[in-house]
Amino acid sequence: MPQSKWNRSMVGLASLFLITVLMAGAILVSLGPKASPVQAETASPTPTQAVPTTGVATTTAAIPARTAPATAADTAPSPATITTPRLITVNAVGQVQAAPDVAYLNVGSEVQAASAGEALDKAKANGENIRKALVDAGIPDKDIQTSGLNAYPVNPPGKDGLPSTQPASYRAYVSLNITINDLSKGGKALDVATKAGANQVGGLSYGIKDDSALRAQALEQAVKQARPKAEAIARGLNLQAGPVITVTEDPGGYYPPQMGGGKGEGGFAPGNLTVGVRVTITYAIQ
């Protein structure tokens, strides 16, 4: 082989060898030491200081329970706490007798006529006659009052036995109330009124004009009579009557007449009247 070709071949091989070495070095540099992924993932972190929990107590705040609204059964006292009042209640009557100081007389006159107007006129005339006679007998005119004046038809029975619709006549009635303050004139007033045309007599009654003082006396009497009655009841029960709790006066009073005595003018004489009251008293039991 000629020398020149040899030299060129050697130079080419040397260049190829050098290029190969340089490439191998570059590859080694690029594949230098790196952190292992496994090591990076499994590396232990720096331990943190543990917080001690020994001796710490955990508490829960009490929550009030919801309650249903109270009912009558819930609020009602138990049988052991019920206290029944120990009481005695009695009734007592007080009566005071007194002589009447006033009399009352009711009289009337009933008449009949063909017409209502005629009947009323006759009744009025009879009423005036009675009034005049009483005034003449000493009864003041102010104590004589007309209490009623009316007229009504008189229907006779018809052929069928029922009252007919056509009145046959009319009746009229007048009534008078007389107050007699002089009791000695009571009998005379009644006699005078009937003679003057009164054919309806309500009767003669007696009363007391002002009975307030008598009622007060009767109330005191009733109250005094109530205490012994309550004490008697208590003794029968081996108990003792205590103070008064309530006092109630029952409504109304009564005047039962006690007829008797001598006769006055006209043969009439009233007896005593009784003013009565009733009370209800409740006592405590000791």
Side-chain angles (χ1 to χ4, degrees):
M1 175 180 289
Q3 186 65 35
S4 59
K5 291 183 178 183
W6 169 256
N7 289 337
R8 288 195 297 270
S9 299
M10 291 302 292
V11 172
L13 291 173
S15 299
L16 179 62
F17 177 77
L18 180 60
I19 292 170
T20 301
V21 171
L22 291 174
M23 291 180 66
I27 292 171
L28 291 176
V29 172
S30 63
L31 298 177
K34 294 183 180 179
S36 174
V38 177
Q39 292 179 347
E41 293 177 359
T42 59
S44 300
T46 303
T48 58
Q49 185 177 1
V51 179
T53 60
T54 304
V56 178
T58 302
T59 61
T60 303
I63 300 176
R66 294 184 61 186
T67 59
T71 62
D74 298 331
T75 59
S78 63
T81 61
I82 295 177
T83 302
T84 302
R86 294 157 55 89
L87 306 173
I88 295 177
T89 300
V90 298
N91 294 322
V93 175
Q95 295 180 342
V96 178
Q97 291 188 352
D101 56 7
V102 64
Y104 303 100
L105 177 63
N106 177 264
V107 297
S109 177
E110 186 178 44
V111 297
Q112 186 169 342
S115 66
E118 184 181 357
L120 284 173
D121 291 340
K122 285 184 177 181
K124 289 179 183 179
N126 284 352
E128 289 301 320
N129 290 337
I130 296 170
R131 179 188 296 274
K132 184 178 182 302
L134 291 171
V135 171
D136 292 342
I139 306 298
D141 186 69
K142 65 181 182 63
D143 294 334
I144 305 172
Q145 296 181 350
T146 301
S147 58
L149 176 64
N150 55 72
Y152 54 92
V154 177
N155 294 7
K159 295 180 180 180
D160 55 359
L162 299 176
S164 63
T165 58
Q166 185 66 30
S169 61
Y170 290 85
R171 288 180 182 176
Y173 178 82
V174 61
S175 61
L176 302 174
N177 287 334
I178 302 102
T179 299
I180 305 171
N181 293 293
D182 185 354
L183 297 186
S184 64
K185 298 179 179 179
K188 182 178 180 179
L190 180 56
D191 184 59
V192 168
T194 55
K195 290 180 179 179
N199 54 15
Q200 303 288 331
V201 179
L204 189 65
S205 61
Y206 296 92
I208 298 173
K209 297 176 184 177
D210 184 5
D211 66 347
S212 57
L214 298 173
R215 289 183 63 84
Q217 295 179 28
L219 284 170
E220 292 179 7
Q221 184 184 114
V223 171
K224 291 179 181 178
Q225 291 180 359
R227 167 65 73 170
K229 295 174 65 174
E231 292 176 347
I233 295 174
R235 285 194 303 270
L237 300 172
N238 294 323
L239 300 171
Q240 183 177 356
V244 174
I245 303 300
T246 60
V247 180
T248 304
E249 179 188 3
D250 295 343
Y254 50 93
Y255 301 81
Q258 305 294 328
M259 301 305 294
K263 293 184 179 182
E265 183 179 356
F268 292 91
N272 287 333
L273 300 180
T274 300
V275 179
V277 297
R278 185 186 302 270
V279 296
T280 300
I281 303 180
T282 299
Y283 299 86
I285 298 178
Q286 294 182 342

